[in-house]
């Protein structure tokens, strides 16, 4: 019984304590919702065999894990906000391999005011612009780059470029979008992915460099390479943001992987975070051929 119970107890302790040890815990913690579901198995077995000490530890572990993940499935109330609407779409292009015609069709259907793109190359810029993206969203900040490190912000409204965030050669585009006279800072988020070869520090630095909440309206949208179970994400949220999927009770819907990782359970690493003063009126996760990520979309209302 203890062989079954102890791993779940250890997972619960690390998750609740917010510990970020070395590889491989960083990627493993993304699968906490699945572990929370399976944690009822050792509890049921220990209770059935009347191993009460083991059952008690299993029950505490089960409750701790459930308390960590269940709230994201429950919708939250919005702050009072009666300002302009801001529709945000974020897409990871998988090193520019996403089908440009499908992307433009998605933009036509959802009518975003702001589009953040990750893994945005010069070639993908030429392809999406050739099929009409720049006509739909005529204002752009382009930080394209070879490989997976480039990003961009397209917008329906005028934009002002801000200094980008760069760690480990990953370029996170920043811009101010002016909507009905209100300035909103937008960041196309994409820190480097944590890996066994020492890039855990790069991943954390990229997340820690994102602007904290407060001092103005902000929207952080993109591939965070992190779930709500990662301590840097929770720290970012407590600084003054709300996650659109969490607010609308869709925090379990996976965004990655879609292709290329056949046997890996899906996790939600693509997010749209908005300042606490901004209301989240709609959230959705969509499909796009050619990329291993699912685009995320949110309709927001400014204060």
């Amino acid at each position: 019984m203890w062989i079954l119970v102890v791993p779940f107890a250890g997972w619960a302790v690390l998750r609740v304590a917010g510990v970020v040890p070395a590889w491989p815990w960083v990627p493993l913690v993304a699968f906490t919702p699945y572990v929370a579901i399976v944690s009822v198995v050792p509890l049921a077995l220990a209770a059935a065999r009347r191993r009460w000490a083991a059952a008690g530890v299993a029950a505490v572990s089960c409750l701790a894990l459930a308390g960590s993940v269940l709230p994201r499935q429950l919708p939250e109330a919005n702050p009072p906000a009666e300002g302009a609407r801001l529709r945000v779409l974020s897409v990871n292009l998988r090193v520019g391999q996403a089908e440009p015609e499908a992307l433009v069709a998605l933009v036509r259907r959802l009518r975003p005011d702001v589009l953040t793109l990750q893994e945005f190359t010069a070639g993908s810029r030429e392809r999406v612009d050739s099929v009409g993206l720049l006509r739909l969203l005529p204002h752009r900040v382009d930080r394209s780059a070879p490989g997976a490190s480039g990003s961009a912000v397209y917008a329906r409204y005028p934009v002002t470029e801000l200094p980008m965030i760069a760690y480990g050669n990953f370029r996170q585009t920043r811009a101010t979008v002016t909507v009905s006279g209100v300035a909103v800072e937008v960041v196309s988020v994409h820190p480097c992915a944590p890996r066994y070869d020492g890039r855990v520090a790069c991943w954390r630095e990229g997340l820690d460099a994102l602007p904290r909440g407060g001092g103005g309206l902000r929207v952080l949208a993109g591939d965070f390479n992190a779930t709500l179970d990662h301590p840097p994400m929770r720290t970012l949220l407590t600084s003054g943001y709300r996650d659109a999927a969490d607010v609308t009770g869709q925090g379990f819907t996976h965004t990655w992987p879609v292709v290329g990782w056949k046997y890996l359970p899906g996790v939600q690493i693509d997010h749209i975070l908005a300042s606490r003063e901004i209301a989240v009126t709609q959230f959705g996760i969509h499909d796009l051929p050619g990329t291993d990520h699912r685009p995320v979309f949110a309709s927001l209302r400014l204060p």
Side-chain angles (χ1 to χ4, degrees), residues 72-107:
R72 67 191 71 167
Q73 194 67 11
L74 304 174
E76 299 177 10
N78 272 314
E82 300 180 354
R85 293 191 181 277
L86 181 66
R87 298 163 67 86
V88 180
L89 175 65
S90 180
V91 183
N92 182 309
L93 299 175
R94 198 188 187 196
V95 197
Q97 295 183 53
E99 294 183 8
E101 294 84 359
L103 173 62
V104 170
L106 186 64
V107 169

Side-chain angles (χ1 to χ4, degrees), residues 38-231:
V38 180
S39 67
V40 301
V41 174
L43 171 59
L45 290 174
R49 296 194 176 193
R50 299 180 183 274
R51 300 288 295 275
W52 301 121
V57 174
V60 172
S61 304
C62 189
L63 289 173
L65 291 169
S68 299
V69 301
L70 283 180
R72 67 191 71 167
Q73 194 67 11
L74 304 174
E76 299 177 10
N78 272 314
E82 300 180 354
R85 293 191 181 277
L86 181 66
R87 298 163 67 86
V88 180
L89 175 65
S90 180
V91 183
N92 182 309
L93 299 175
R94 198 188 187 196
V95 197
Q97 295 183 53
E99 294 183 8
E101 294 84 359
L103 173 62
V104 170
L106 186 64
V107 169
R108 290 186 188 277
R109 178 163 60 88
L110 297 177
R111 296 178 293 107
D113 303 302
V114 174
L115 169 66
T116 66
L117 298 175
Q118 301 86 49
E119 302 195 15
F120 185 65
T121 65
S124 61
R125 179 192 63 220
E126 295 173 2
R127 289 190 292 273
V128 297
D129 288 351
S130 69
V131 294
L133 182 59
L134 202 57
R135 291 193 296 272
L136 297 173
L137 301 170
H139 304 277
R140 177 179 66 192
V141 176
D142 173 15
R143 287 291 189 174
S144 57
S149 60
S151 68
V153 172
Y154 282 74
R156 192 180 308 277
Y157 304 106
V159 297
T160 301
E161 183 173 5
L162 297 173
M164 73 173 179
I165 301 167
Y167 281 90
N169 293 323
F170 276 67
R171 302 152 66 92
Q172 303 186 85
T173 304
R174 296 173 62 207
T176 298
V177 180
T178 304
V179 185
S180 300
V182 178
V184 181
E185 181 180 345
V186 176
V187 182
S188 182
V189 178
H190 193 208
C192 59
R195 292 197 326 207
Y196 64 90
D197 59 359
R199 290 178 64 175
V200 171
C202 169
W203 165 78
R204 178 136 202 179
E205 289 171 354
L207 289 172
D208 290 345
L210 294 171
R212 305 293 100 170
L217 300 179
R218 294 186 180 88
V219 174
L220 314 181
D223 171 12
F224 285 71
N225 277 314
T227 73
L228 299 188
D229 293 299
H230 286 101

